[in-house]
């Protein structure tokens, strides 16, 4: 059952600058989806004209840029303590990183890399100072007992599979279609409620980075605080504002600037009005996620009443296949006549595509198959999308 | 490129016409006749309006913004309870085809025609309220021809292509595309390797999600990459500054260290058919979306050698002076051609250098080719701990790909999947899944790269064992969270 809560909190818009180790500064200036100015330094030291896009080559020497780019108000330019982030790939594991320890098939967990600490795994101990820090992401690390693991760079998708659940979360299958149907991209302004465990939030932040922003509302005070903490630890807090309030009563805290609004709350129809006012004057997409069809019906009605168009409800499910080599036995059909040898199986007849492995000695045929799992997720929720009408 | 508040339709844009669930991409050009949903019109009047505006087609073939008409407040409609006494003999509608045509010719608005149809239907008042609703919706759909002009986006274009020309995109359904973009962690700042034969749709989707940041290297078969769909997105020019391309035919040489620019794939300038369009598209190509993959030149963002055209047009130069001038021109043309050749070579060398760094942030593949050789070679260019996704219309090639990847090692978290998509009709007391749904949207194989342990064959087989899924009986429900 999804948990919902309420609470008061801070809202409002604010500006923040963030320095990444690549020497880039991204400043979000909320206000009608205006593209923020991005300044970067090339390896030659010359500053590039602020223009989204172009960074020739990839590896730049780590450099801190002290340039003030419009709108900043006397911020103390200090390197942030978290130098990695979910929105920018890094090559080597550093102190303070959140890394993913991969043990084997679908067995992994996140770890906060810290000098001096030690992590226990079923393969033995991992010492952060010697085994992790300084190593390349994707490296194999041998643990004390001799077994080994892989250390992976975090991504929102890996985070979704490994984050500590405070509520039921959205998985990447739903997140994927939400992202595309809301037309999200770098620079987009998104509003979300409820934040929950931050699964979708991380994915949204990744998509709108480096110039967009996520305004996420969570009515449960502790969950809101935990979310803020995680965003900080993951180096993305400059791209997100967590507000602790009830979206149905007080909205998202912003007006007429969002490109998209996402609702995952028990009574989304109560927030449609607020969603509409948060969305930019013209255009803008909305999505509501509800497990129950009754909720969907009420939400669609509310969307229509508020003048949304292109209302469309769908559901998406993931089907996973295990790749297996299957051996099927050939039945003994006896002999056609007394003096006829052979089992009635034509040995010259190739079996399925792939290996023509008719192993007559053992009377089996081998083939490769994509075998579905015994059980699959049958339902997560209905997704309803709509467009804010121009009228 | 995001839409600033009220992005307006401009001449030269690629816009998408929408009527109900039907989409069509067209270039916005003056005095260019557009055919869409059995209607002919010019887009001239649409220029200057905000994207998302709904238009009606006037009798003169012009667009007119639709006035928002108040719905005729219906007095409590007379309705029946069920259809037990309604006989479907095709005679309930008193208006004939000619009557309706006459109404249309008179310029009667669609809404009025629908009203007429209702009044002239003998069975209408016997229908249930739901049936009446359905009837009105159906008639409105047919006679109230409104067209909305929308801004292209991955959502719109992928839906359009899947509905209109699925063959062009290897039947990549839009939700499968959505999965690829997320599984591949496509975001601003990446250095992506893209290999697709989906008319440039996947490339466009990747570019949209990268917002112009980072860089993309598009691998292409044949003479050049097809980017028909990419131009539909309407990206600003800077987006293309960090878009590179590299021929597949040179991949082996690059991997083995024998790469050279001496022998290039067939020069696009030699192609007889050369067209020049500001957006790289002609109306014919747009409206029928019939560009073939054998003509990559028309869509490639490479300069077209105009002097080539001039040479082929010149036939009988009897005038000596003319001949002399021609010779001068020829020399210039040759120089120009050489310049272009040199530029191409330079670009290719640069792109090769980018690939040689072997530090791409991801690989995304969706093509008509067998995926295995593509993955096995292109993965070499990807850094460790990076996601990759490959799409295939069919499952079996991905089974083989999976096996080969296991043998190769250096990949973990391999997953073979497909998505199941269902649309719903949501109406009070009438909610249910829609009657038809897509039978299949293709398959995806995804995974994450790790540092490749070369040379230790036994360790890689151990690795493979570890990475293998547990036998079926050990699969529990908790493993199902995907």
């Amino acid at each position: 059952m999804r948990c919902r809560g309420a609470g008061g909190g801070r809202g409002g818009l604010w500006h923040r600058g963030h320095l990444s180790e690549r020497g880039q500064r991204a400043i979000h200036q909320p206000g009608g989806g205006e593209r923020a100015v991005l300044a970067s330094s090339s390896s030659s030291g010359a500053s590039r004209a602020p223009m989204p896009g172009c960074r020739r080559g990839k590896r730049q020497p780590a450099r801190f840029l002290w340039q003030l780019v419009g709108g900043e108000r006397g911020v103390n330019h200090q390197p942030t303590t978290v130098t990695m982030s979910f929105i920018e790939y890094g090559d080597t594991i550093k102190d303070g990183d959140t890394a993913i320890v991969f043990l084997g098939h679908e067995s992994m967990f996140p770890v906060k890399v810290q000098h001096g600490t030690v992590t226990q795994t079923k393969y033995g101990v991992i010492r952060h100072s010697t085994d992790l820090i300084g190593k390349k992401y994707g490296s194999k690390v041998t643990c004390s007992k001799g077994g080994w693991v892989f250390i992976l760079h975090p991504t929102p998708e890996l985070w979704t599979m490994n984050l500590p659940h405070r509520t039921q979360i959205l998985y990447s299958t739903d997140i994927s279609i939400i992202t595309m149907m809301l037309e999200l991209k770098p620079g987009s302004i998104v509003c979300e409620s409820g934040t929950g465990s931050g699964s979708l939030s991380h994915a949204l932040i990744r998509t709108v980075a480096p110039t967009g922003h996520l305004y996420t509302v969570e009515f449960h005070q502790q969950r809101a605080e935990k979310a803020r903490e995680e965003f900080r630890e993951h180096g993305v807090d400059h791209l997100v504002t967590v507000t602790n309030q009830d979206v149905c009563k007080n909205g998202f805290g912003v007006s007429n600037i969002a490109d998209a609004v996402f609702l995952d709350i028990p009574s989304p129809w109560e927030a449609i009005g607020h969603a509409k006012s948060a969305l930019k004057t013209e255009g803008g997409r909305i999505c509501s996620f509800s497990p129950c069809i009754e909720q969907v019906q009420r939400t669609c009605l509310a969307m229509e009443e508020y003048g949304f168009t292109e209302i469309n409800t769908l559901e998406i499910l993931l089907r996973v296949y295990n790749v297996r080599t299957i051996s099927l036995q050939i039945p003994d059909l006896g002999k056609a006549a007394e003096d006829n040898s052979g089992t009635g199986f034509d040995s010259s007849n190739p079996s399925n595509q792939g290996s023509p492995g008719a192993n007559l000695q053992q009377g089996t045929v081998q083939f490769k198959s994509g075998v579905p799992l015994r059980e699959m997720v049958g339902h997560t929720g209905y997704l309803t999308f709509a467009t804010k009408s121009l009228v | 490129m995001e839409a600033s508040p009220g992005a307006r339709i401009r001449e030269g844009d690629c816009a998408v016409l929408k009527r109900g669930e039907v989409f069509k991409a067209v270039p916005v050009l003056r005095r260019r006749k557009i055919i869409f949903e059995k209607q002919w019109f010019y887009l001239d009047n649409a220029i200057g309006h905000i994207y998302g505006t709904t238009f009606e087609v006037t009798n003169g073939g012009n667009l007119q913004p639709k006035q928002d008409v108040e719905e005729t407040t219906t007095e409590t409609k007379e309705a029946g309870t069920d259809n037990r006494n309604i006989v479907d003999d095709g005679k309930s509608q008193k208006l004939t085809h000619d009557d309706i045509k006459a109404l249309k010719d008179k310029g009667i608005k669609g809404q009025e025609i629908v009203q007429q149809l209702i009044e002239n239907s003998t069975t209408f008042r016997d229908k249930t309220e739901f049936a009446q609703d359905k009837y009105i919706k159906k008639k409105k759909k047919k006679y109230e021809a409104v067209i909305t002009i929308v801004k292209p986006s991955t959502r719109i274009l992928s839906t359009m292509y899947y509905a209109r020309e699925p063959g062009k995109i290897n039947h990549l359904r839009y939700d499968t595309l959505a999965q690829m973009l997320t599984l591949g962690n496509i975001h601003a700042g990446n250095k992506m390797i893209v290999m697709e034969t989906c008319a440039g749709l996947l490339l466009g989707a990747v570019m949209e999600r990268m917002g112009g940041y980072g860089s993309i290297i598009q691998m292409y078969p044949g003479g050049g990459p097809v980017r028909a769909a990419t131009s539909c997105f309407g990206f600003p020019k800077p987006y293309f500054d960090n878009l590179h391309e590299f021929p597949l035919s040179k991949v082996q040489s690059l991997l083995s260290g024998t790469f050279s620019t001496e022998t290039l794939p067939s020069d696009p300038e030699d192609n007889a058919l050369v067209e020049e369009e500001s957006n790289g598209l002609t109306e014919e190509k747009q409206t029928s979306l019939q560009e073939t993959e054998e003509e990559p030149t028309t869509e490639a963002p490479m300069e077209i050698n105009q002097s080539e055209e001039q040479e082929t047009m010149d036939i009988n130069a009897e005038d000596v002076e003319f001949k002399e001038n021609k010779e001068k021109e020829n020399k210039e043309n040759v120089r120009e051609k050489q310049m272009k050749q040199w530029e191409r070579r330079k670009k290719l060398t640069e792109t090769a250098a980018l690939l040689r760094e072997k530090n791409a942030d991801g690989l995304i593949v969706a093509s008509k080719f067998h995926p295995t050789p593509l993955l096995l070679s292109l993965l070499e260019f990807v850094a460790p701990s990076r996601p990759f996704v490959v799409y295939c219309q069919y499952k079996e090639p991905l089974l083989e790909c999976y096996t080969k990847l296991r043998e190769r090692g250096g990949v973990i978290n391999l997953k073979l999947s497909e998505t199941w998509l269902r649309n719903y009709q949501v109406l009070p007391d009438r909610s249910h899944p829609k009657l038809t749904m897509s039978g299949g949207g293709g398959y995806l194989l995804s995974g994450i790269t790790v540092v490749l342990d070369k040379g230790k064959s036994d360790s890689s087989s151990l690795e493979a064992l570890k990475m293998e899924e547990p036998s079926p009986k050990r699969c529990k429900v908790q493993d199902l969270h995907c």
Side-chain angles (χ1 to χ4, degrees):
Chain A
M1 206 31 220
R2 309 181 96 80
C3 320
R4 314 284 173 220
R10 64 181 191 87
L13 320 176
W14 44 277
H15 304 217
R16 244 293 275 260
H18 167 76
L19 298 167
S20 75
E21 68 168 331
R22 295 266 173 82
Q24 273 191 317
R25 165 91 69 74
I27 297 178
H28 167 67
Q29 294 187 19
E34 231 180 322
R35 187 172 273 290
V37 173
L38 187 81
S40 69
S41 72
S42 64
S43 48
S44 68
S47 247
R48 226 180 269 179
M51 182 136 103
C54 321
R55 226 175 4 127
R56 281 238 174 245
K58 192 185 188 307
R59 303 295 162 211
Q60 310 256 350
R63 202 176 279 251
F64 295 104
L65 182 66
W66 309 111
Q67 218 181 68
L68 257 184
V69 184
E72 219 13 47
R73 292 186 293 261
V75 169
N76 192 7
H77 296 293
Q78 290 219 341
T80 55
T81 46
V82 180
T83 49
M84 67 86 75
S85 78
F86 278 43
I87 57 167
E88 225 181 320
Y89 279 121
D91 282 335
T92 41
I93 307 169
K94 285 180 302 301
D95 187 27
D97 282 3
T98 300
I100 308 286
V101 178
F102 184 88
L103 299 141
H105 176 68
E106 287 200 10
S107 172
M108 47 182 153
F109 61 89
V111 78
K112 184 118 173 79
V113 180
Q114 247 168 342
H115 261 301
T117 40
V118 136
T119 300
Q120 294 285 350
T121 77
K122 63 177 179 182
Y123 297 126
V125 155
I126 301 175
R127 295 178 200 287
H128 292 211
S129 309
T130 51
D131 298 329
L132 295 183
I133 298 176
K135 289 262 160 50
K136 224 176 166 198
Y137 274 110
S139 300
K140 189 190 275 188
V141 168
T142 310
C143 311
S144 58
K145 283 193 212 156
W148 39 262
V149 299
F150 284 105
I151 311 296
L152 302 176
H153 194 287
T155 64
E157 287 61 55
L158 286 174
W159 182 248
T160 291
M161 298 308 298
N162 293 297
L163 62 89
H165 285 211
R166 285 89 76 181
T167 62
Q168 173 61 289
I169 66 168
L170 279 184
Y171 290 92
S172 297
T173 313
D174 286 312
I175 293 175
S176 306
I177 191 97
I178 291 166
T179 309
M180 186 182 82
M181 297 294 270
L182 288 181
E183 302 185 348
L184 300 178
K185 49 188 179 266
S188 295
I189 314 283
V190 201
C191 291
E192 170 200 24
S193 188
T195 317
S197 308
S199 170
L200 175 66
S201 314
H202 278 84
L204 295 176
I205 293 168
R206 174 267 317 270
T207 303
V208 307
T211 45
H213 202 85
L214 170 67
Y215 294 94
T216 185
V217 175
E218 170 57 51
F219 66 0
H220 190 281
Q221 213 233 318
Q222 281 79 26
R223 286 203 293 265
E225 198 42 58
K226 182 79 179 131
R228 278 193 203 105
E229 193 185 298
E230 277 178 355
F231 296 141
R232 244 193 322 270
E233 277 181 12
H234 299 161
V236 297
D237 54 331
H238 61 296
L239 291 166
V240 57
T241 304
V242 181
T243 304
N244 182 209
Q245 67 193 30
D246 183 350
V247 69
C248 297
K249 296 202 176 69
N250 306 110
F252 292 94
V254 297
S255 294
N256 295 122
I257 62 160
D259 296 294
V261 167
F262 178 79
L263 294 169
D264 180 5
I265 56 178
S267 311
W269 55 91
E270 291 177 12
I272 299 294
H274 290 295
K276 185 170 184 187
S277 68
L279 282 170
K280 56 191 180 187
T281 338
E282 131 298 324
R285 298 274 295 160
I286 184 172
C287 173
S288 173
F289 176 86
S290 294
C292 303
I293 194 70
E294 297 85 357
Q295 294 169 303
V296 176
Q297 287 175 307
R298 287 203 210 170
T299 307
C300 286
L301 221 50
M303 284 179 177
E304 228 179 307
E305 280 166 21
Y306 277 94
F308 282 92
T309 56
E310 245 188 303
I311 302 172
N312 174 44
T313 304
L314 56 86
E315 69 171 333
I316 186 167
L317 296 174
L318 186 72
R319 295 206 50 158
V320 177
Y321 298 98
N322 282 333
V323 181
R324 295 260 180 277
T325 307
I326 307 290
S327 288
L328 291 182
Q329 245 194 329
I330 297 148
D332 180 7
L333 299 173
K335 293 187 171 64
E338 279 311 307
D339 52 306
N340 256 12
S341 58
T343 58
F345 175 74
D346 187 359
S347 60
S348 66
N349 195 2
S351 55
N352 292 8
Q353 54 83 36
S355 44
N359 194 333
L360 284 177
Q361 248 71 17
Q362 284 134 28
T364 60
V365 169
Q366 272 202 336
F367 60 92
K368 268 239 180 302
S369 175
V371 178
L373 306 180
R374 207 155 51 98
E375 262 186 44
M376 63 178 266
V377 174
H379 180 67
T380 52
Y382 301 103
L383 287 162
T384 304
F385 298 94
T387 309
K388 179 172 169 178
S389 167
L390 272 179
V391 176
Chain B
M1 175 171 115
E2 92 244 301
S4 42
R8 296 195 176 262
I9 304 169
R10 285 191 322 261
E11 193 173 3
D13 277 356
C14 175
V16 175
L17 307 174
K18 172 175 142 56
R19 185 182 170 204
E21 304 291 311
V22 184
F23 297 94
K24 181 175 183 174
V26 293
V28 179
L29 298 165
R30 292 188 190 272
R31 308 312 306 161
R32 192 71 79 98
K33 205 175 211 178
I34 304 284
I35 307 163
F36 176 59
E37 291 283 278
K38 295 190 190 144
Q39 290 187 292
W40 288 258
F41 51 89
Y42 296 99
L43 290 172
D44 301 42
N45 289 359
I47 297 175
H49 280 95
I50 298 176
Y51 275 102
T53 309
T54 306
F55 298 89
E56 279 177 323
V57 184
T58 64
N59 277 350
N62 284 310
L63 291 176
Q64 196 188 5
K66 179 170 193 283
Q67 268 78 40
D68 210 30
V69 195
E70 330 89 56
E71 288 294 308
T72 43
T73 46
T74 44
E75 324 83 47
T76 38
K77 285 184 281 208
E78 194 188 345
T81 44
D82 55 45
N83 65 6
R84 69 182 80 197
N85 292 323
I86 300 180
V87 179
D88 188 9
D89 55 9
K91 298 193 194 130
S92 351
Q93 178 56 246
K94 291 305 161 201
L95 292 181
T96 63
H97 276 304
D98 295 325
D99 290 332
I100 298 170
K101 192 168 182 306
L103 287 175
K104 273 207 244 177
D105 290 338
K106 265 204 275 185
I108 306 278
K109 280 201 158 198
Q111 205 174 4
E112 185 52 39
I113 295 179
V114 175
Q115 208 34 50
Q116 289 289 319
L117 285 166
I118 294 172
E119 283 168 20
N120 283 285
S121 163
T122 55
T123 50
F124 186 80
R125 62 196 184 131
D126 297 325
K127 291 179 196 270
T128 64
E129 268 187 52
F130 291 162
Q132 287 177 349
D133 213 26
K134 197 170 175 181
Y135 181 88
I136 294 172
K137 272 207 182 91
K138 189 173 166 195
K139 295 305 172 193
K140 271 193 175 165
K141 193 169 175 215
K142 189 167 181 193
Y143 294 104
E144 275 185 32
V146 287
I147 297 171
T148 313
I149 300 188
V150 295
K151 203 163 196 317
S153 65
T154 303
R155 165 179 82 98
I156 301 229
L157 292 174
S158 61
T159 320
M160 181 186 85
Y161 263 94
Y162 188 70
R164 289 183 89 92
E165 307 245 18
K168 283 238 146 55
I169 54 170
N170 303 105
H171 294 262
L172 172 67
R173 200 174 56 207
Y174 47 94
D175 60 305
T176 312
L177 173 59
Q179 300 301 312
M180 294 178 83
L181 296 171
T182 300
L183 284 173
N185 194 18
I186 313 291
H187 67 284
N190 272 5
K191 177 178 174 180
M192 288 303 305
I193 299 179
V194 178
M195 198 280 138
E196 59 117 295
T197 58
C198 298
L201 176 66
L202 176 61
L203 176 66
V206 170
M207 286 173 76
E208 187 185 77
R209 289 282 270 265
M210 287 176 58
Y213 298 92
S215 60
I216 303 173
I217 302 165
Q218 183 184 9
M219 314 298 293
Y220 62 87
V226 179
R227 291 177 181 161
T230 320
S231 10
C232 287
F233 282 84
F235 296 125
K237 271 198 149 209
Y239 275 46
F240 293 91
D241 290 350
N242 272 349
L243 170 61
H244 312 270
E245 50 279 331
F246 195 85
L248 280 179
S249 56
K250 289 281 178 186
V251 166
Q252 283 292 53
S253 67
L254 191 61
L255 287 172
S256 62
T258 58
F259 171 76
S260 88
T261 56
E262 291 315 309
T263 47
L264 293 172
S266 59
D267 227 352
E269 284 107 68
D270 295 341
N271 237 316
L273 219 113
V274 175
E275 288 178 73
E276 190 175 66
E277 270 288 336
S278 51
N279 279 359
L281 286 156
T282 62
E283 201 233 3
E284 288 76 22
K285 287 205 160 29
Q286 268 293 38
T287 52
S288 62
L289 288 172
Q290 258 162 30
E291 68 281 344
T292 60
E293 283 167 38
E294 285 74 40
E295 293 175 23
T297 58
T298 51
E299 330 304 343
M302 296 188 256
E303 284 175 67
I304 313 292
N305 196 343
Q306 274 185 301
S307 47
E308 286 284 313
E309 279 185 309
Q310 278 181 308
E311 276 181 50
T312 53
M313 286 195 316
D314 178 34
I315 311 160
N316 293 319
E318 286 177 6
D319 191 5
V320 176
E321 205 183 277
F322 193 78
K323 264 195 193 148
E324 278 180 359
N325 286 342
K326 217 49 192 100
E327 271 172 32
K328 268 193 225 152
E329 261 176 65
N330 281 345
K331 284 208 188 99
E332 268 177 52
N333 293 343
V334 169
R335 247 212 320 271
E336 240 183 272
K337 194 173 170 189
Q338 279 178 340
M339 266 294 289
K340 290 210 164 30
Q341 187 91 299
W342 180 82
E343 254 175 58
R344 263 193 91 214
R345 290 230 169 93
K346 181 163 170 272
K347 270 200 163 167
L348 203 62
T349 317
E350 281 171 13
T351 310
L354 287 174
L355 284 169
R356 257 194 228 100
E357 288 177 339
K358 298 198 174 178
N359 62 1
D361 291 319
L363 171 66
I364 186 163
V365 176
S367 76
K368 61 187 181 189
F369 297 108
H370 198 291
T372 310
L374 285 173
L375 269 228
L376 290 178
S377 55
L378 297 178
L379 273 178
E380 296 292 316
F381 301 118
V382 181
S385 189
R386 298 290 184 270
F388 62 89
V389 195
V390 53
Y391 165 84
C392 186
Q393 191 180 345
Y394 309 98
K395 202 204 293 186
E396 289 77 5
L398 291 179
L399 296 176
E400 202 224 277
C401 200
Y402 179 104
T403 312
K404 286 287 186 302
L405 283 177
R406 278 266 172 268
E407 284 170 24
R408 173 192 184 268
V411 293
I412 56 168
N413 216 27
L414 281 179
K415 182 151 86 173
L416 173 60
S417 65
E418 70 167 332
T419 42
W420 187 88
L421 181 74
R422 201 179 206 184
N423 281 286
Y424 282 75
Q425 166 186 294
V426 178
L427 292 170
D429 296 322
R430 287 160 286 170
S431 302
H432 57 73
K434 290 217 169 124
L435 296 189
T436 53
M437 62 185 272
S438 156
Y443 301 85
L444 290 179
L445 179 64
S446 62
I448 304 175
T449 55
V450 287
V451 170
L452 188 50
D453 223 353
K454 288 199 173 114
K456 295 187 189 168
S457 55
D458 49 323
S459 79
S460 70
S461 62
L462 264 175
E463 224 177 82
L465 260 171
K466 188 183 191 179
M467 298 304 145
E468 201 56 57
E469 302 83 7
S471 62
K473 64 183 174 207
R474 269 189 267 135
C475 275
K476 294 201 179 74
V477 181
Q478 69 221 41
D479 292 337
L480 298 175
H481 287 311
C482 353

